[in-house]
Amino acid sequence: MDRVCISAAKSSMQNDIAGLTDQMMGYVFGIFAVGYALFQIPAGWYSDRAGPRRALTIVVIIWSIFTALTGAVFTAISLLVVRFLFGVGEAGAYPGATRALYRWLPARERGIGQGIFHSGARIGAALSLVIMPAVISLIGWRWTFVANGLVGIVWGAIWWFWYRDTPEEHPWTNEQEADLIARGIHEQEVPNVELPYIQIVTSANVLLAMFQYSASNITFFISITWLRPYIEERWGAEAANLSAIPLLVGAVALWFSGFLVTKLYQMGMPVLSRRIPAMLGYALGAIGLILCTQTTSMESVWPLILCFSLALFGVEMTLSPSWAFCMDIGGDRSGAVSGAMNMVGNLGAALSAVVFPYFVHHVTLPYIATETGTANSFFVFAALMNVLAVIAWTMMNPQRILRRLTDREMQFRMIGFLALILMVVFSLVYTKLIMG
């Protein structure tokens, strides 16, 4: 809800803040993703070391403070700074939660656990798109951010007093349940557990996971940033609330995919349990996005809503297998490994937020987007990324055994990994200077 609130407040903020054009708003959306991406690995590492109880309490309180401070900005530059720091604070959310799930779920239940967890974000985002405009009209956009920040601080307090890092520590967990969870964790052996983190995170498995997750974010991030303003501009304010429907459909997809991952694993297919739901999801995502290109000139918004809902259903199906995949190969380092995937994955979010308005206003394609003013060219771009993600999953295997690298090979891997991190930063600068 904290992340999506700014989408609902976009028009009100532009009326009050000088220089906050659509393109600048794209940078505001994108700068959040850059701060969020850059601190994924440090936040994941901290969750692994300190435990998710302490880590999640800290990161939720930090991002809640910057959520509240969003309501205090008066210039576009200060908004950029606050949203970057908000992204830094929120970076620990998913790695910390993944580390928490690793210690509380047997291997066979990771898919459904991740599906339930991620569905909360989609339901919150959908509710935010509907509720936040009403709250903004009641108390103003500035106090709406403050209210959201207070909710996060309350959550942090509840988490600290209720959660424990292991089942054995929790007063509500009996000995039999703790033993069941422990045996379930160890029923799937974590490969390459003795290898250095840098080798794991630069392996083909993780690099492919990074790429495919970036493809997922390219589609998803539009649903919480530009979709509502885009629908409002083309079909009117009454149609804007329909932008919540794809997110609710995405929540259903997460439960369905989580169930499918779990069922396939229980049938004795640990690799295919991750691969099949993800490949099916990306295929549906590509089909839905291509269908979206046939709807943007229609008088009714419903064809676009239905087609984009299909696309989002598809890409949301990929989350449960993606995060379960990180738990499979990360083990006790699940926070840092999943943080690496989410870091590069959010490169897609940063690019998506910035290039979407550019595609709408500047990019044409033969037959599909013959003139500017529609999102058709962006839909084609996102569909192509989904097709490439299908190919990536055919080469991902959480049970692959790696040989230990030499010191020289490790040095080259380290240089390449640092270059990858720099690319995340450079991508936003490039799109701002060249495409702006």
Side-chain angles (χ1 to χ4, degrees):
M1 293 178 70
D2 289 347
R3 196 190 302 194
V4 177
C5 180
I6 195 169
S7 181
K10 174 180 177 290
S11 298
S12 300
M13 295 175 73
Q14 287 180 311
N15 291 335
D16 291 348
I17 300 175
L20 196 58
T21 63
D22 277 355
Q23 193 64 55
M24 178 59 75
M25 203 67 185
Y27 303 150
V28 170
F29 291 150
I31 203 69
F32 158 82
V34 171
Y36 182 73
L38 285 178
F39 282 81
Q40 285 292 311
I41 294 176
W45 175 87
Y46 181 70
S47 294
D48 291 335
R49 294 302 178 111
R53 182 185 182 220
R54 177 178 296 177
L56 282 176
T57 301
I58 292 172
V59 300
V60 173
I61 289 176
I62 288 175
W63 96 54
S64 297
I65 290 171
F66 285 106
T67 296
L69 287 176
T70 303
V73 300
F74 287 90
T75 66
I77 298 301
S78 62
L79 181 60
L80 282 172
V81 173
V82 169
R83 296 307 284 185
F84 174 79
L85 294 174
F86 169 62
V88 170
E90 197 165 299
Y94 289 120
T98 296
R99 186 64 176 80
L101 289 174
Y102 176 75
R103 274 298 170 195
W104 276 87
L105 291 179
R108 62 182 178 275
E109 296 180 10
R110 289 172 185 168
I112 190 64
Q114 286 286 0
I116 293 170
F117 161 64
H118 283 278
S119 70
R122 277 46 180 176
I123 293 170
L127 291 174
S128 184
L129 288 172
V130 176
I131 294 173
M132 290 305 157
V135 177
I136 290 169
S137 66
L138 183 65
I139 63 175
W141 68 268
R142 295 186 183 276
W143 283 106
T144 299
F145 281 106
V146 174
N148 277 329
L150 290 175
V151 171
I153 291 172
V154 170
W155 185 96
I158 294 172
W159 177 260
W160 175 259
F161 286 106
W162 173 78
Y163 179 79
R164 296 296 181 269
D165 287 329
T166 64
E168 295 80 6
E169 297 176 71
H170 205 292
W172 292 2
T173 306
N174 59 43
E175 184 178 346
Q176 290 81 9
E177 184 180 4
D179 181 64
L180 176 67
I181 294 171
R183 284 188 284 108
I185 291 173
H186 294 299
E187 71 184 20
Q188 183 185 50
E189 184 178 351
V190 178
N192 312 304
V193 69
E194 301 297 329
L195 296 181
Y197 169 75
I198 192 65
Q199 180 173 350
I200 301 297
V201 82
T202 55
S203 65
N205 264 336
V206 179
L207 292 176
L208 289 167
M210 291 173 178
F211 170 77
Q212 63 85 31
Y213 201 64
S214 180
S216 169
N217 270 319
I218 284 174
T219 302
F220 169 71
F221 210 71
I222 289 304
S223 67
I224 61 171
T225 54
W226 285 109
L227 183 62
R228 182 186 176 91
Y230 178 73
I231 290 175
E232 186 172 356
E233 181 180 339
R234 290 190 60 80
W235 284 282
E238 292 184 358
N241 284 343
L242 297 178
S243 60
I245 292 177
L247 287 164
L248 294 175
V249 171
V252 175
L254 284 159
W255 282 68
F256 170 73
S257 177
F259 170 80
L260 185 58
V261 168
T262 300
K263 191 66 176 177
L264 290 171
Y265 187 94
Q266 292 173 347
M267 293 170 62
M269 295 184 283
V271 176
L272 291 180
S273 70
R274 278 54 171 153
R275 190 177 288 172
I276 290 175
M279 294 174 67
L280 175 61
Y282 278 120
L284 289 175
I287 292 170
L289 287 164
I290 293 300
L291 290 176
C292 284
T293 65
Q294 306 303 305
T295 68
T296 52
S297 60
M298 295 182 178
E299 292 186 7
S300 172
V301 70
W302 276 105
L304 175 65
I305 293 296
L306 294 175
C307 292
F308 193 79
S309 293
L310 175 63
L312 204 62
F313 184 94
V315 297
E316 294 293 75
M317 278 189 64
T318 70
L319 265 68
S320 291
S322 296
W323 290 84
F325 184 87
C326 289
M327 296 166 76
D328 293 342
I329 62 179
D332 286 334
R333 297 179 289 187
S334 294
V337 171
S338 62
M341 181 189 74
N342 208 23
M343 178 195 73
V344 179
N346 276 274
L347 171 61
L351 288 173
S352 177
V354 175
V355 305
F356 180 83
Y358 181 84
F359 269 79
V360 171
H361 296 299
H362 299 287
V363 179
T364 59
L365 293 172
Y367 306 110
I368 295 177
T370 56
E371 58 185 21
T372 59
T374 73
N376 286 355
S377 56
F378 179 86
F379 291 146
V380 172
F381 163 67
L384 176 61
M385 293 297 294
N386 285 357
V387 171
L388 294 176
V390 172
I391 298 172
W393 267 100
T394 64
M395 297 178 280
M396 293 167 60
N397 183 351
Q399 296 185 341
R400 184 177 294 130
I401 304 299
L402 305 176
R403 68 171 181 85
R404 182 177 288 272
L405 298 179
T406 65
D407 290 344
R408 185 170 182 81
E409 288 173 324
M410 287 289 291
Q411 290 173 357
F412 278 116
R413 289 281 189 97
M414 178 67 78
I415 293 171
F417 189 58
L418 291 175
L420 189 63
I421 294 175
L422 290 175
M423 185 181 71
V424 173
V425 182
F426 176 76
S427 64
L428 185 64
V429 176
Y430 175 83
T431 51
K432 181 174 182 178
L433 294 178
I434 303 301
M435 296 184 177

PDB file of all heavy atoms in Angstrom, residues 5 25 27 56 68 80 84 86 98 110 139-140 154 157 170 208 213 223 240 248 283 293 310 329 340 345 358-359 395:
ATOM      1  N   CYS A   5       0.504   3.939  -3.165  1.00  0.00           N
ATOM      2  CA  CYS A   5      -0.196   5.173  -2.802  1.00  0.00           C
ATOM      3  C   CYS A   5       0.188   6.341  -3.716  1.00  0.00           C
ATOM      4  O   CYS A   5      -0.646   7.152  -4.089  1.00  0.00           O
ATOM      5  CB  CYS A   5       0.112   5.522  -1.349  1.00  0.00           C
ATOM      6  SG  CYS A   5      -0.695   7.022  -0.775  1.00  0.00           S
ATOM      7  N   MET A  25       7.626  12.344 -13.094  1.00  0.00           N
ATOM      8  CA  MET A  25       6.969  11.335 -12.276  1.00  0.00           C
ATOM      9  C   MET A  25       7.514   9.952 -12.602  1.00  0.00           C
ATOM     10  O   MET A  25       7.647   9.091 -11.719  1.00  0.00           O
ATOM     11  CB  MET A  25       5.458  11.376 -12.511  1.00  0.00           C
ATOM     12  CG  MET A  25       4.646  10.802 -11.368  1.00  0.00           C
ATOM     13  SD  MET A  25       4.779  11.822  -9.872  1.00  0.00           S
ATOM     14  CE  MET A  25       3.873  10.847  -8.695  1.00  0.00           C
ATOM     15  N   TYR A  27      10.571   9.380 -13.394  1.00  0.00           N
ATOM     16  CA  TYR A  27      11.837   9.301 -12.665  1.00  0.00           C
ATOM     17  C   TYR A  27      11.605   9.019 -11.177  1.00  0.00           C
ATOM     18  O   TYR A  27      12.378   8.300 -10.539  1.00  0.00           O
ATOM     19  CB  TYR A  27      12.624  10.603 -12.819  1.00  0.00           C
ATOM     20  CG  TYR A  27      12.901  10.984 -14.258  1.00  0.00           C
ATOM     21  CD1 TYR A  27      13.006  12.324 -14.624  1.00  0.00           C
ATOM     22  CD2 TYR A  27      13.046  10.023 -15.237  1.00  0.00           C
ATOM     23  CE1 TYR A  27      13.250  12.686 -15.929  1.00  0.00           C
ATOM     24  CE2 TYR A  27      13.286  10.384 -16.549  1.00  0.00           C
ATOM     25  CZ  TYR A  27      13.390  11.718 -16.896  1.00  0.00           C
ATOM     26  OH  TYR A  27      13.635  12.073 -18.193  1.00  0.00           O
ATOM     27  N   LEU A  56      13.324  -7.355   9.671  1.00  0.00           N
ATOM     28  CA  LEU A  56      12.062  -6.842   9.144  1.00  0.00           C
ATOM     29  C   LEU A  56      11.484  -5.732  10.020  1.00  0.00           C
ATOM     30  O   LEU A  56      10.872  -4.789   9.503  1.00  0.00           O
ATOM     31  CB  LEU A  56      11.054  -7.978   8.996  1.00  0.00           C
ATOM     32  CG  LEU A  56      11.251  -8.876   7.773  1.00  0.00           C
ATOM     33  CD1 LEU A  56      10.252 -10.018   7.775  1.00  0.00           C
ATOM     34  CD2 LEU A  56      11.129  -8.080   6.479  1.00  0.00           C
ATOM     35  N   ALA A  68       5.909   8.485   5.326  1.00  0.00           N
ATOM     36  CA  ALA A  68       5.311   9.674   5.950  1.00  0.00           C
ATOM     37  C   ALA A  68       5.968  10.954   5.444  1.00  0.00           C
ATOM     38  O   ALA A  68       5.290  11.958   5.191  1.00  0.00           O
ATOM     39  CB  ALA A  68       5.430   9.569   7.467  1.00  0.00           C
ATOM     40  N   LEU A  80      12.307  13.161  -5.266  1.00  0.00           N
ATOM     41  CA  LEU A  80      13.235  12.144  -5.766  1.00  0.00           C
ATOM     42  C   LEU A  80      14.085  11.575  -4.634  1.00  0.00           C
ATOM     43  O   LEU A  80      14.272  10.356  -4.530  1.00  0.00           O
ATOM     44  CB  LEU A  80      14.147  12.732  -6.846  1.00  0.00           C
ATOM     45  CG  LEU A  80      13.568  12.908  -8.249  1.00  0.00           C
ATOM     46  CD1 LEU A  80      14.548  13.681  -9.115  1.00  0.00           C
ATOM     47  CD2 LEU A  80      13.252  11.559  -8.877  1.00  0.00           C
ATOM     48  N   PHE A  84      13.817   7.729  -3.200  1.00  0.00           N
ATOM     49  CA  PHE A  84      15.008   6.867  -3.268  1.00  0.00           C
ATOM     50  C   PHE A  84      15.266   6.227  -1.909  1.00  0.00           C
ATOM     51  O   PHE A  84      15.492   5.016  -1.800  1.00  0.00           O
ATOM     52  CB  PHE A  84      16.222   7.682  -3.713  1.00  0.00           C
ATOM     53  CG  PHE A  84      17.509   6.908  -3.661  1.00  0.00           C
ATOM     54  CD1 PHE A  84      17.842   6.011  -4.661  1.00  0.00           C
ATOM     55  CD2 PHE A  84      18.393   7.063  -2.595  1.00  0.00           C
ATOM     56  CE1 PHE A  84      19.020   5.280  -4.610  1.00  0.00           C
ATOM     57  CE2 PHE A  84      19.573   6.344  -2.527  1.00  0.00           C
ATOM     58  CZ  PHE A  84      19.885   5.453  -3.545  1.00  0.00           C
ATOM     59  N   PHE A  86      13.095   5.825   0.479  1.00  0.00           N
ATOM     60  CA  PHE A  86      11.990   4.908   0.721  1.00  0.00           C
ATOM     61  C   PHE A  86      12.293   3.546   0.095  1.00  0.00           C
ATOM     62  O   PHE A  86      12.077   2.489   0.701  1.00  0.00           O
ATOM     63  CB  PHE A  86      10.712   5.499   0.135  1.00  0.00           C
ATOM     64  CG  PHE A  86       9.551   4.551   0.071  1.00  0.00           C
ATOM     65  CD1 PHE A  86       9.006   4.001   1.216  1.00  0.00           C
ATOM     66  CD2 PHE A  86       8.981   4.209  -1.148  1.00  0.00           C
ATOM     67  CE1 PHE A  86       7.917   3.130   1.154  1.00  0.00           C
ATOM     68  CE2 PHE A  86       7.903   3.348  -1.221  1.00  0.00           C
ATOM     69  CZ  PHE A  86       7.369   2.806  -0.070  1.00  0.00           C
ATOM     70  N   THR A  98      11.573 -13.966   2.769  1.00  0.00           N
ATOM     71  CA  THR A  98      12.003 -15.259   2.227  1.00  0.00           C
ATOM     72  C   THR A  98      12.840 -16.013   3.254  1.00  0.00           C
ATOM     73  O   THR A  98      12.699 -17.232   3.428  1.00  0.00           O
ATOM     74  CB  THR A  98      12.799 -15.051   0.923  1.00  0.00           C
ATOM     75  OG1 THR A  98      11.928 -14.484  -0.060  1.00  0.00           O
ATOM     76  CG2 THR A  98      13.357 -16.360   0.397  1.00  0.00           C
ATOM     77  N   ARG A 110       7.093 -24.721   0.154  1.00  0.00           N
ATOM     78  CA  ARG A 110       7.632 -23.392  -0.160  1.00  0.00           C
ATOM     79  C   ARG A 110       6.835 -22.679  -1.240  1.00  0.00           C
ATOM     80  O   ARG A 110       6.680 -21.458  -1.202  1.00  0.00           O
ATOM     81  CB  ARG A 110       9.099 -23.524  -0.589  1.00  0.00           C
ATOM     82  CG  ARG A 110      10.022 -23.892   0.558  1.00  0.00           C
ATOM     83  CD  ARG A 110      11.425 -24.201   0.089  1.00  0.00           C
ATOM     84  NE  ARG A 110      12.244 -24.675   1.216  1.00  0.00           N
ATOM     85  CZ  ARG A 110      13.429 -25.242   1.078  1.00  0.00           C
ATOM     86  NH1 ARG A 110      13.943 -25.427  -0.128  1.00  0.00           N
ATOM     87  NH2 ARG A 110      14.091 -25.642   2.143  1.00  0.00           N
ATOM     88  N   ILE A 139      -8.627  13.561   3.446  1.00  0.00           N
ATOM     89  CA  ILE A 139      -7.630  14.210   4.309  1.00  0.00           C
ATOM     90  C   ILE A 139      -6.471  14.827   3.527  1.00  0.00           C
ATOM     91  O   ILE A 139      -5.547  15.382   4.130  1.00  0.00           O
ATOM     92  CB  ILE A 139      -7.079  13.209   5.359  1.00  0.00           C
ATOM     93  CG1 ILE A 139      -6.351  12.050   4.683  1.00  0.00           C
ATOM     94  CG2 ILE A 139      -8.189  12.714   6.255  1.00  0.00           C
ATOM     95  CD1 ILE A 139      -5.676  11.093   5.669  1.00  0.00           C
ATOM     96  N   GLY A 140      -6.488  14.718   2.202  1.00  0.00           N
ATOM     97  CA  GLY A 140      -5.411  15.279   1.400  1.00  0.00           C
ATOM     98  C   GLY A 140      -4.288  14.270   1.182  1.00  0.00           C
ATOM     99  O   GLY A 140      -4.096  13.353   1.980  1.00  0.00           O
ATOM    100  N   VAL A 154       3.077   0.522  13.292  1.00  0.00           N
ATOM    101  CA  VAL A 154       2.293  -0.397  14.123  1.00  0.00           C
ATOM    102  C   VAL A 154       2.608  -1.844  13.746  1.00  0.00           C
ATOM    103  O   VAL A 154       2.775  -2.712  14.615  1.00  0.00           O
ATOM    104  CB  VAL A 154       0.786  -0.101  13.976  1.00  0.00           C
ATOM    105  CG1 VAL A 154      -0.048  -1.193  14.647  1.00  0.00           C
ATOM    106  CG2 VAL A 154       0.455   1.260  14.565  1.00  0.00           C
ATOM    107  N   ALA A 157       5.892  -3.036  15.256  1.00  0.00           N
ATOM    108  CA  ALA A 157       5.793  -3.359  16.683  1.00  0.00           C
ATOM    109  C   ALA A 157       5.159  -4.729  16.889  1.00  0.00           C
ATOM    110  O   ALA A 157       5.624  -5.536  17.714  1.00  0.00           O
ATOM    111  CB  ALA A 157       4.972  -2.279  17.401  1.00  0.00           C
ATOM    112  N   HIS A 170       9.327 -20.110  19.398  1.00  0.00           N
ATOM    113  CA  HIS A 170       7.991 -19.532  19.505  1.00  0.00           C
ATOM    114  C   HIS A 170       7.154 -20.273  20.544  1.00  0.00           C
ATOM    115  O   HIS A 170       7.068 -21.495  20.522  1.00  0.00           O
ATOM    116  CB  HIS A 170       7.279 -19.565  18.146  1.00  0.00           C
ATOM    117  CG  HIS A 170       6.226 -18.523  18.003  1.00  0.00           C
ATOM    118  ND1 HIS A 170       5.055 -18.540  18.732  1.00  0.00           N
ATOM    119  CD2 HIS A 170       6.166 -17.416  17.238  1.00  0.00           C
ATOM    120  CE1 HIS A 170       4.319 -17.493  18.413  1.00  0.00           C
ATOM    121  NE2 HIS A 170       4.969 -16.789  17.498  1.00  0.00           N
ATOM    122  N   LEU A 208      20.244 -16.434 -14.610  1.00  0.00           N
ATOM    123  CA  LEU A 208      18.998 -16.653 -15.351  1.00  0.00           C
ATOM    124  C   LEU A 208      17.787 -16.263 -14.507  1.00  0.00           C
ATOM    125  O   LEU A 208      16.807 -15.708 -15.027  1.00  0.00           O
ATOM    126  CB  LEU A 208      18.903 -18.114 -15.782  1.00  0.00           C
ATOM    127  CG  LEU A 208      19.875 -18.544 -16.891  1.00  0.00           C
ATOM    128  CD1 LEU A 208      19.903 -20.061 -17.017  1.00  0.00           C
ATOM    129  CD2 LEU A 208      19.490 -17.907 -18.222  1.00  0.00           C
ATOM    130  N   TYR A 213      13.239 -12.672 -13.686  1.00  0.00           N
ATOM    131  CA  TYR A 213      12.491 -11.866 -12.722  1.00  0.00           C
ATOM    132  C   TYR A 213      12.386 -10.418 -13.197  1.00  0.00           C
ATOM    133  O   TYR A 213      11.405  -9.735 -12.923  1.00  0.00           O
ATOM    134  CB  TYR A 213      13.153 -11.953 -11.347  1.00  0.00           C
ATOM    135  CG  TYR A 213      12.221 -11.589 -10.229  1.00  0.00           C
ATOM    136  CD1 TYR A 213      11.093 -12.365  -9.965  1.00  0.00           C
ATOM    137  CD2 TYR A 213      12.443 -10.474  -9.429  1.00  0.00           C
ATOM    138  CE1 TYR A 213      10.217 -12.028  -8.949  1.00  0.00           C
ATOM    139  CE2 TYR A 213      11.574 -10.136  -8.410  1.00  0.00           C
ATOM    140  CZ  TYR A 213      10.465 -10.915  -8.171  1.00  0.00           C
ATOM    141  OH  TYR A 213       9.595 -10.578  -7.164  1.00  0.00           O
ATOM    142  N   SER A 223       1.369  -2.133 -13.401  1.00  0.00           N
ATOM    143  CA  SER A 223       0.064  -2.242 -12.736  1.00  0.00           C
ATOM    144  C   SER A 223      -0.019  -1.381 -11.485  1.00  0.00           C
ATOM    145  O   SER A 223      -1.120  -1.017 -11.050  1.00  0.00           O
ATOM    146  CB  SER A 223      -0.219  -3.707 -12.379  1.00  0.00           C
ATOM    147  OG  SER A 223       0.672  -4.175 -11.374  1.00  0.00           O
ATOM    148  N   ALA A 240     -11.027   4.508 -13.764  1.00  0.00           N
ATOM    149  CA  ALA A 240      -9.708   4.352 -13.141  1.00  0.00           C
ATOM    150  C   ALA A 240      -9.682   3.258 -12.076  1.00  0.00           C
ATOM    151  O   ALA A 240      -8.692   2.528 -11.948  1.00  0.00           O
ATOM    152  CB  ALA A 240      -9.247   5.689 -12.550  1.00  0.00           C
ATOM    153  N   LEU A 248      -5.985  -7.974  -8.290  1.00  0.00           N
ATOM    154  CA  LEU A 248      -6.736  -9.019  -7.599  1.00  0.00           C
ATOM    155  C   LEU A 248      -6.629 -10.348  -8.343  1.00  0.00           C
ATOM    156  O   LEU A 248      -6.518 -11.410  -7.724  1.00  0.00           O
ATOM    157  CB  LEU A 248      -8.206  -8.599  -7.455  1.00  0.00           C
ATOM    158  CG  LEU A 248      -8.467  -7.391  -6.553  1.00  0.00           C
ATOM    159  CD1 LEU A 248      -9.939  -6.998  -6.595  1.00  0.00           C
ATOM    160  CD2 LEU A 248      -8.039  -7.686  -5.122  1.00  0.00           C
ATOM    161  N   ALA A 283       4.241 -17.653 -20.629  1.00  0.00           N
ATOM    162  CA  ALA A 283       3.539 -17.822 -21.898  1.00  0.00           C
ATOM    163  C   ALA A 283       2.186 -17.112 -21.865  1.00  0.00           C
ATOM    164  O   ALA A 283       1.813 -16.395 -22.816  1.00  0.00           O
ATOM    165  CB  ALA A 283       3.357 -19.314 -22.195  1.00  0.00           C
ATOM    166  N   THR A 293      -2.749  -5.135 -27.168  1.00  0.00           N
ATOM    167  CA  THR A 293      -2.517  -4.213 -28.283  1.00  0.00           C
ATOM    168  C   THR A 293      -3.756  -4.040 -29.158  1.00  0.00           C
ATOM    169  O   THR A 293      -3.846  -3.071 -29.919  1.00  0.00           O
ATOM    170  CB  THR A 293      -1.343  -4.695 -29.156  1.00  0.00           C
ATOM    171  OG1 THR A 293      -1.692  -5.948 -29.782  1.00  0.00           O
ATOM    172  CG2 THR A 293      -0.089  -4.892 -28.336  1.00  0.00           C
ATOM    173  N   LEU A 310      -5.200 -11.061 -17.795  1.00  0.00           N
ATOM    174  CA  LEU A 310      -4.602 -12.323 -18.239  1.00  0.00           C
ATOM    175  C   LEU A 310      -3.083 -12.234 -18.208  1.00  0.00           C
ATOM    176  O   LEU A 310      -2.406 -13.164 -17.742  1.00  0.00           O
ATOM    177  CB  LEU A 310      -5.078 -12.665 -19.657  1.00  0.00           C
ATOM    178  CG  LEU A 310      -4.427 -13.899 -20.292  1.00  0.00           C
ATOM    179  CD1 LEU A 310      -4.757 -15.160 -19.502  1.00  0.00           C
ATOM    180  CD2 LEU A 310      -4.874 -14.038 -21.753  1.00  0.00           C
ATOM    181  N   ILE A 329      18.273 -23.106  -3.617  1.00  0.00           N
ATOM    182  CA  ILE A 329      19.723 -23.038  -3.826  1.00  0.00           C
ATOM    183  C   ILE A 329      20.424 -22.188  -2.771  1.00  0.00           C
ATOM    184  O   ILE A 329      21.642 -22.262  -2.635  1.00  0.00           O
ATOM    185  CB  ILE A 329      20.066 -22.487  -5.231  1.00  0.00           C
ATOM    186  CG1 ILE A 329      19.556 -21.066  -5.422  1.00  0.00           C
ATOM    187  CG2 ILE A 329      19.509 -23.393  -6.316  1.00  0.00           C
ATOM    188  CD1 ILE A 329      19.895 -20.475  -6.777  1.00  0.00           C
ATOM    189  N   ALA A 340      19.713 -10.886  -4.400  1.00  0.00           N
ATOM    190  CA  ALA A 340      20.413 -10.702  -5.673  1.00  0.00           C
ATOM    191  C   ALA A 340      19.445 -10.812  -6.838  1.00  0.00           C
ATOM    192  O   ALA A 340      19.496 -10.008  -7.786  1.00  0.00           O
ATOM    193  CB  ALA A 340      21.534 -11.736  -5.801  1.00  0.00           C
ATOM    194  N   GLY A 345      16.163  -8.064 -10.825  1.00  0.00           N
ATOM    195  CA  GLY A 345      14.778  -8.088 -11.257  1.00  0.00           C
ATOM    196  C   GLY A 345      14.160  -6.712 -11.259  1.00  0.00           C
ATOM    197  O   GLY A 345      13.364  -6.370 -12.127  1.00  0.00           O
ATOM    198  N   TYR A 358       7.643   7.013 -22.334  1.00  0.00           N
ATOM    199  CA  TYR A 358       8.398   7.249 -23.574  1.00  0.00           C
ATOM    200  C   TYR A 358       7.820   6.419 -24.712  1.00  0.00           C
ATOM    201  O   TYR A 358       7.636   6.923 -25.830  1.00  0.00           O
ATOM    202  CB  TYR A 358       9.874   6.908 -23.354  1.00  0.00           C
ATOM    203  CG  TYR A 358      10.714   7.140 -24.581  1.00  0.00           C
ATOM    204  CD1 TYR A 358      11.218   8.402 -24.876  1.00  0.00           C
ATOM    205  CD2 TYR A 358      10.994   6.100 -25.467  1.00  0.00           C
ATOM    206  CE1 TYR A 358      11.977   8.624 -26.006  1.00  0.00           C
ATOM    207  CE2 TYR A 358      11.753   6.313 -26.599  1.00  0.00           C
ATOM    208  CZ  TYR A 358      12.246   7.574 -26.867  1.00  0.00           C
ATOM    209  OH  TYR A 358      12.996   7.777 -28.002  1.00  0.00           O
ATOM    210  N   PHE A 359       7.533   5.143 -24.460  1.00  0.00           N
ATOM    211  CA  PHE A 359       6.931   4.295 -25.495  1.00  0.00           C
ATOM    212  C   PHE A 359       5.593   4.867 -25.940  1.00  0.00           C
ATOM    213  O   PHE A 359       5.283   4.893 -27.133  1.00  0.00           O
ATOM    214  CB  PHE A 359       6.732   2.878 -24.946  1.00  0.00           C
ATOM    215  CG  PHE A 359       7.897   1.947 -25.182  1.00  0.00           C
ATOM    216  CD1 PHE A 359       9.025   2.005 -24.378  1.00  0.00           C
ATOM    217  CD2 PHE A 359       7.877   1.025 -26.208  1.00  0.00           C
ATOM    218  CE1 PHE A 359      10.098   1.161 -24.588  1.00  0.00           C
ATOM    219  CE2 PHE A 359       8.941   0.169 -26.437  1.00  0.00           C
ATOM    220  CZ  PHE A 359      10.061   0.235 -25.622  1.00  0.00           C
ATOM    221  N   MET A 395      16.614 -23.607 -18.807  1.00  0.00           N
ATOM    222  CA  MET A 395      18.012 -23.847 -18.438  1.00  0.00           C
ATOM    223  C   MET A 395      18.258 -23.711 -16.941  1.00  0.00           C
ATOM    224  O   MET A 395      19.395 -23.823 -16.488  1.00  0.00           O
ATOM    225  CB  MET A 395      18.914 -22.864 -19.203  1.00  0.00           C
ATOM    226  CG  MET A 395      18.866 -23.036 -20.713  1.00  0.00           C
ATOM    227  SD  MET A 395      19.896 -21.831 -21.600  1.00  0.00           S
ATOM    228  CE  MET A 395      18.815 -20.391 -21.560  1.00  0.00           C
TER     229      MET A 395
END
